[in-house]
Amino acid sequence: MSQDEFAPRATGSTVLTHEGGFHARPSIMFTQLAKRFSAKVWIGLSDQGPWTDAKSIVRVMALKASRQTTVFFAAEGTDAADAVSALVRLVQSDFTNSRDQ
Amino acid sequence: MSSAKATVYLRGICASPGLARGVLVRLQERVRTGIRAPSSGPSDSASLRQAIDSACAELTALKQRARDSDAEAMLAFQIAMLQDPVLSEPAFTAIAAQVPPEQAWQDAMESQIRQYDSADDAYFRARASDLCDMRDRVSGILSGAAIIPVPPGSIVIATDLPPSRFLEMSWDGGGIALTEGSANSHVAMLARARGVPMLIGLDHGLLQAHGEALLDADNGVLITSPDAKTLTDFAARQQALRIGRGGTEGHLALPAVTAGGEHVQVMINVADGAELGSLNPAWCDGIGLVRTELLLRSKHYLMDEAKQYDEYCRIVRWAEGRPVTVRLLDAGADKPIAGYTVDVESNPFLGLRGVRLSLLHRQVLSTQLRALARAAAVRPLQIMVPMVTWPDELDQVRQMLDDAVESLTKEGLDCVRPALGMMVEVPAAALTCDLFRADFFSIGSNDLIQYVTACSRDSRALAALQDPLQPAMLRIMREVVKHANTRGIPVSLCGDMAGDPRCVPALLAIGLRCLSVAPAALASVKAAIARYRSEASAQEHSA
């Protein structure tokens, strides 16, 4: 998806501090959280894209984002701002704020 | 009885001890091309959709029955991936273009697996095996193979056994024989925890074997077409083992005592504490080894003193005041922690691991020492340092422990300075154990064997050279035990050797009176101790 194909209603970014990067467990938590929002949500490794569907664990894992990578978010939809801030918080909390199960 | 066929002995390496007699069942392997005549598109895509849904349902059922968090996390990941439409999208596109569904699914998964296989990061590379597991499960359902369950009590033969398949089978009385596999694999750990005999590294001829067989994991052999005499002997050994086990039901609640009436302490090895739920602390004399690298396998726990304190408290409370030995983080080599251990080492078993790594990450070490000193105020525990080579390493850790206790005291936090001992697993330390200021010794036989014999633990070809009962091992261990016993320093053994009933007499003969074993081995080890008579055994096993 190139940037001009959509007009993001909310954007954000944060540094991935989780030691393993976007490994299995963080990716599960991340995509599960993204799916709670009706907005379309994207994740990218640059503010210029390319953008990846943040609700797809297959795509998020495929980023192979490692520690200290800055991850960028964009969202489009009524709850776009909430989605971005929730995802930023999850990454900043080192994936601890919603321990799974 | 197929007396016409010759009895064949297939040699393998024991990955989980025990005996099993059963019918060989070849695990359904992936069929590379089950290309069928192209049929109508809609029903093909519906059959793939259905196969994926069934696979998710099977994995979800397994996840609900999973008994440890590792198995659960692995299954959660597979389910999430399968439920993601992105994974199957290319397959559905191919089906629309008349590619048969099995082929379409295989191709789509192959391209994903290649991406993981070629990853720089070892963690991502390891996920390729999860994707293979998922690929084969869905393919099996598509081809109708997966609905054939392996009958309980079978001896499963395969090149390798995916962990999700292991978890879904009923292993009662059965066993596993693989041409590949590793004793350090996830499946091997699960098999040992559940007492399922397992051999690895058998010749490929295994896969052609069929009919009844005897799996003697204790002696590393699979016997096909056994003759009458072999069957009778085997049945007698199984019976003896059962009596041993049956006796252990009684033994479990009793202290372990030799035939000569001497008490032997039998402790348990604990991975992450999850296994304690089903165990009665009265069955053991304490915990001889807590493997904290399994407890703290996620990097962010390494600096989380509060989390660690909670975990250690949970374990020491379970022990109800019995001794608990917690080993400091023993990461590295076969136990990586992403972001903590060194990714690329040409020879990781001889590299930065155990205390060598801890002394380079002092904040992490200090966090663990603080959490342990605080937990020691709740119930008794002692600290064991892994991979010590020179006395100075132990001295450095002792200094840091004293500092941690001092600062905790200043901060007004309850703490107790735990005893500080060492693991004896590096030959240099074993040969000079008198030079170390250790409060206790615990022999780590697994690493000691590989360092003494210069044999990599994961090498199948070298398995025969790694007999733990060889004179070199017994001599080096006997010297450590002799030194400890004359100086009144507690000494124990916490490697796999301690849990092997075959080795127990030799360990008692060299003077050990404290063994720490996997919980599943408690029964058989206590039975082996009960059979032990000192003089006879001492002569038989002296090196």
Side-chain angles (χ1 to χ4, degrees):
Chain A
M1 168 142 340
S2 81
Q3 201 196 3
D4 48 26
E5 280 176 28
F6 69 97
R9 300 258 305 267
T11 58
S13 70
T14 187
V15 176
L16 186 59
T17 53
H18 191 70
E19 199 56 45
F22 262 117
H23 279 179
R25 192 173 153 277
S27 298
I28 293 174
M29 292 172 72
F30 181 84
T31 51
Q32 275 173 353
L33 181 60
K35 281 192 272 194
R36 284 192 212 147
F37 299 93
S38 64
K40 288 184 174 170
V41 192
W42 293 275
I43 177 173
L45 301 181
S46 138
D47 61 353
Q48 304 297 307
W51 297 98
T52 287
D53 181 358
K55 298 182 183 184
S56 164
I57 184 169
V58 174
R59 294 241 157 90
V60 170
M61 286 286 290
L63 286 176
K64 300 191 180 103
S66 55
R67 188 177 183 231
Q68 299 306 351
T69 308
T70 304
V71 285
F72 296 85
F73 306 116
E76 190 178 52
T78 49
D79 53 3
D82 292 342
V84 169
S85 69
L87 293 173
V88 166
R89 258 183 284 125
L90 179 70
V91 176
Q92 284 178 346
S93 78
D94 211 16
F95 300 92
T96 53
N97 74 353
S98 62
R99 305 259 321 263
D100 51 2
Q101 82 205 346
Chain B
M1 182 92 48
S2 50
S3 50
K5 278 168 65 189
T7 302
V8 177
Y9 289 74
L10 292 166
R11 292 262 150 216
I13 297 154
C14 178
S16 172
L19 305 175
R21 173 183 174 177
V23 173
L24 295 171
V25 175
R26 171 92 185 259
L27 188 73
Q28 201 65 43
E29 306 271 340
R30 175 169 66 98
V31 185
R32 189 64 189 89
T33 44
I35 299 176
R36 303 182 312 187
S39 54
S40 54
S43 77
D44 276 352
S45 67
S47 67
L48 178 58
R49 164 66 34 226
Q50 220 166 30
I52 293 172
D53 289 347
S54 307
C56 287
E58 288 174 7
L59 293 168
T60 305
L62 284 177
K63 184 165 168 274
Q64 278 156 5
R65 298 205 312 264
R67 292 188 237 169
D68 61 281
S69 52
D70 268 350
E72 216 178 284
M74 178 206 69
L75 294 165
F77 172 68
Q78 292 197 12
I79 294 166
M81 292 289 281
L82 282 172
Q83 283 175 341
D84 187 345
V86 170
L87 189 75
S88 47
E89 213 167 35
F92 285 113
T93 308
I95 289 172
Q98 303 303 311
V99 177
E102 284 107 312
Q103 189 66 55
W105 170 252
Q106 297 274 353
D107 292 347
M109 290 302 286
E110 290 304 334
S111 83
Q112 284 285 332
I113 291 163
R114 265 198 304 277
Q115 282 185 34
Y116 283 89
D117 262 338
S118 63
D120 293 331
D121 181 321
Y123 176 87
F124 280 104
R125 267 202 311 280
R127 297 284 71 69
S129 70
D130 281 311
L131 282 131
C132 291
D133 197 355
M134 289 149 56
R135 173 196 63 196
D136 296 348
R137 176 173 296 275
V138 173
S139 290
I141 295 171
L142 269 176
S143 66
I147 52 170
I148 305 164
V150 174
S154 304
I155 295 173
V156 172
I157 55 176
T159 48
D160 202 356
L161 179 62
S164 80
R165 293 300 304 273
F166 176 92
L167 290 168
E168 70 190 351
M169 292 179 194
S170 165
W171 289 105
D172 192 24
I176 305 166
L178 306 175
T179 57
E180 290 172 11
S182 151
N184 296 319
S185 70
H186 205 122
V187 168
M189 281 171 62
L190 292 169
R192 286 194 292 270
R194 297 185 192 181
V196 181
M198 172 171 162
L199 284 181
I200 56 170
L202 287 103
D203 186 86
H204 274 269
L206 167 73
L207 301 177
Q208 268 67 57
H210 55 86
E212 189 175 33
L214 306 175
L215 180 67
D216 180 353
D218 292 348
N219 290 304
V221 65
L222 178 81
I223 307 162
T224 62
S225 310
D227 58 30
K229 163 117 181 41
T230 312
L231 278 172
T232 317
D233 291 351
F234 197 82
R237 284 180 56 210
Q238 277 190 304
Q239 178 69 9
L241 206 65
R242 260 196 296 276
I243 290 167
R245 279 205 188 112
T248 333
E249 301 307 313
H251 276 290
L252 268 181
L254 296 169
V257 179
T258 65
E262 204 178 345
H263 178 64
V264 177
Q265 283 188 301
V266 183
M267 306 210 176
I268 55 167
N269 297 341
V270 169
D272 60 4
E275 61 271 65
L276 296 176
S278 57
L279 284 171
N280 183 343
W283 296 344
C284 63
D285 295 295
I287 300 177
L289 171 65
V290 179
R291 299 187 164 102
T292 58
E293 61 282 357
L294 298 175
L295 197 65
L296 310 178
R297 68 198 124 206
S298 164
K299 167 70 206 275
H300 65 264
Y301 294 158
L302 297 182
M303 295 294 290
D304 191 339
E305 182 183 318
K307 159 85 182 164
Q308 291 193 31
Y309 171 73
D310 287 346
E311 294 288 346
Y312 303 144
C313 283
R314 193 162 55 84
I315 292 170
V316 295
R317 285 203 175 98
W318 176 88
E320 295 172 344
R322 292 173 184 82
V324 173
T325 302
V326 180
R327 181 172 69 188
L328 294 176
L329 202 61
D330 189 18
D334 57 337
K335 293 174 291 194
I337 296 180
Y340 175 74
T341 47
V342 181
D343 277 347
V344 184
E345 280 186 296
S346 61
N347 207 338
F349 278 103
L350 302 179
L352 275 174
R353 48 177 308 212
V355 71
R356 303 167 177 184
L357 203 53
S358 297
L359 289 171
L360 293 179
H361 292 88
R362 297 205 169 218
Q363 286 294 340
V364 172
L365 176 55
S366 166
T367 303
Q368 188 170 28
L369 292 170
R370 282 174 57 98
L372 286 167
R374 288 176 56 198
V378 175
R379 294 278 194 291
L381 72 78
Q382 53 182 16
I383 297 175
M384 175 158 73
V385 186
M387 279 301 286
V388 177
T389 309
W390 303 130
D392 174 60
E393 293 168 310
L394 189 63
D395 293 341
Q396 288 188 54
V397 176
R398 185 184 305 99
Q399 184 59 53
M400 288 183 66
L401 177 60
D402 290 339
D403 292 348
V405 169
E406 192 185 322
S407 58
L408 285 168
T409 311
K410 273 189 198 142
E411 292 163 39
L413 291 163
D414 282 344
C415 67
V416 164
R417 162 51 161 95
L420 186 73
M422 63 186 270
M423 191 110 168
V424 180
E425 55 193 329
V426 178
L431 292 167
T432 58
C433 60
D434 55 308
L435 305 180
F436 290 80
R437 284 175 58 204
D439 297 328
F440 63 91
F441 296 112
S442 185
I443 299 172
S445 56
N446 300 3
D447 275 325
L448 188 58
I449 291 170
Q450 74 165 346
Y451 297 137
V452 164
T453 61
C455 289
S456 173
R457 243 199 287 179
D458 48 16
S459 167
R460 274 185 260 137
L462 301 176
L465 292 179
Q466 304 193 55
D467 178 7
L469 293 177
Q470 60 189 284
M473 272 297 285
L474 290 177
R475 192 177 295 177
I476 201 166
M477 292 193 300
R478 188 169 46 206
E479 288 307 309
V480 174
V481 174
K482 199 162 85 184
H483 164 72
N485 286 344
T486 50
R487 298 276 299 275
I489 302 168
V491 58
S492 62
L493 189 143
C494 63
D496 286 342
M497 236 186 135
D500 182 348
R502 190 176 63 104
C503 296
V504 166
L507 297 178
L508 296 174
I510 61 168
L512 276 163
R513 289 297 177 267
C514 181
L515 305 176
S516 192
V517 306
L522 267 177
S524 51
V525 167
K526 286 192 176 185
I529 291 168
R531 289 193 298 269
Y532 174 76
R533 276 174 212 287
S534 55
E535 281 85 4
S537 196
Q539 264 150 37
E540 195 179 320
H541 289 282
S542 258

